[in-house]
Amino acid sequence: MPKTKSAPACGCPVAAFQKMISGKYKLRIVWDLKDGPRRYGEIRTGLLRGSIGSTEIAPRVLSRELKALTESGLIDRRDFGVVPPKVEYRLTRKGKSFVPVIAAIKDWGTRHLAQANAAEMIAAE
């Protein structure tokens, strides 16, 4: 019998993880929220800090990333219901458990990018 779209997929944990964090800004958003709740503008500013090339993040893209992270349960959106609108994003328990994983990725990148840069400098001499 052919599979239907509603049938549960036999999930590979790596593929599920990749799908959950795929996107240009998701890892950086979670990393930025590790220090506490942030409003939309603060998240946007944090993503622009230190970025090479892009000086603008399309609001639609950032909103889509935040919505996806909320749907995956990594962050929580709190609407204060006031005018002007005040909305904060914060890590959930699941999101907080993901921070050490990002820290390990950051440490790996720091070590290996330093090695790659050193090798490039030696090759250029």
Side-chain angles (χ1 to χ4, degrees):
M1 181 181 272
K3 283 187 177 181
T4 64
K5 287 187 179 183
S6 62
C10 181
C12 168
V14 174
F17 172 78
Q18 181 180 13
K19 183 176 181 182
M20 183 175 22
I21 57 102
S22 66
K24 190 170 184 178
Y25 302 107
K26 287 181 186 168
L27 287 176
R28 292 171 55 197
I29 291 168
V30 172
W31 184 250
D32 200 32
L33 290 175
K34 77 183 181 338
D35 298 324
R38 299 273 189 268
R39 293 181 67 181
Y40 180 93
E42 295 169 321
I43 293 169
R44 185 176 175 277
T45 302
L47 292 174
L48 292 174
R49 193 176 342 113
S51 80
I52 299 170
S54 175
T55 58
E56 185 72 24
I57 298 169
R60 184 175 179 184
V61 173
L62 181 53
S63 294
R64 185 177 59 224
E65 297 282 73
L66 290 167
K67 183 177 180 181
L69 286 167
T70 302
E71 289 173 353
S72 68
L74 290 173
I75 67 172
D76 184 45
R77 180 183 189 273
R78 181 175 177 203
D79 188 340
F80 288 85
V82 295
V83 176
K86 180 179 178 184
V87 176
E88 279 185 349
Y89 296 90
R90 66 181 69 231
L91 292 177
T92 61
R93 182 175 288 140
K94 182 179 178 180
K96 288 177 184 175
S97 73
F98 186 49
V99 170
V101 175
I102 301 172
I105 292 168
K106 179 182 172 279
D107 293 343
W108 185 92
T110 301
R111 282 191 313 271
H112 292 280
L113 289 176
Q115 290 173 359
N117 288 339
E120 286 178 14
M121 293 183 91
I122 291 171
E125 291 178 353

